[in-house]
Amino acid sequence: MPSTSDQTLENQNDEELNSLHGKIKALRSVTIDILDDSNRQNDQLDRTGNTFTQFTNSLFSTSRHHSRSMAASSTVRQYRTIAYIVGAVVLLWLVLKLWSFGGTRSVPPDGVNGEYRI
């Protein structure tokens, strides 16, 4: 017949074993979550890589098409196309500049909390 101290030690061992088992379950759960997240991130990176590859192919195709169309056309047409592109960029810049000026206030902030005075 086991003594009281042996029974107490056995009960403590069982409690520690149960505690260790719970920690192993938690660690396994965390490991599985990390694996799932890693797989999701790898899938996202693959999709992003495929998207960039498709974009690169499309850009090269457009560039080749543009080169062929410009080679067949006159020099005046090339200059006109360049002028349209430059004009569009300048116009877009002006619109953005005017739009950004419309949203700002000209009154400086008061020195206390950085809010604008009205």
Side-chain angles (χ1 to χ4, degrees):
M1 181 163 193
S3 68
T4 309
S5 64
D6 289 341
Q7 187 63 32
T8 304
L9 290 176
E10 186 67 32
N11 289 341
Q12 288 175 348
N13 281 343
D14 288 343
E15 288 174 10
E16 291 297 322
L17 187 62
N18 288 337
S19 173
L20 183 60
H21 184 65
K23 290 177 183 178
I24 289 173
K25 281 176 135 179
L27 183 60
R28 182 171 188 244
S29 175
V30 168
T31 304
I32 290 171
D33 290 344
I34 290 171
L35 177 66
D36 291 344
D37 187 53
S38 175
N39 288 336
R40 279 192 301 271
Q41 289 180 9
N42 284 336
D43 290 343
Q44 181 66 33
L45 286 173
D46 288 343
R47 286 192 303 271
T48 302
N50 291 339
T51 301
F52 277 114
T53 301
Q54 290 173 354
F55 175 73
T56 302
N57 292 338
S58 175
L59 186 62
F60 283 141
S61 174
T62 302
S63 176
R64 282 193 304 268
H65 177 70
H66 177 70
S67 296
R68 278 188 263 135
S69 69
M70 284 295 137
S73 65
S74 68
T75 305
V76 174
R77 186 171 179 187
Q78 290 177 6
Y79 288 136
R80 189 181 317 149
T81 303
I82 291 169
Y84 287 151
I85 292 171
V86 170
V89 169
V90 169
L91 182 65
L92 180 63
W93 179 78
L94 286 173
V95 167
L96 289 174
K97 201 70 162 160
L98 290 174
W99 184 52
S100 68
F101 281 134
T104 61
R105 294 181 185 245
S106 60
V107 179
D110 64 5
V112 179
N113 58 7
E115 294 180 359
Y116 285 94
R117 291 177 288 172
I118 298 177

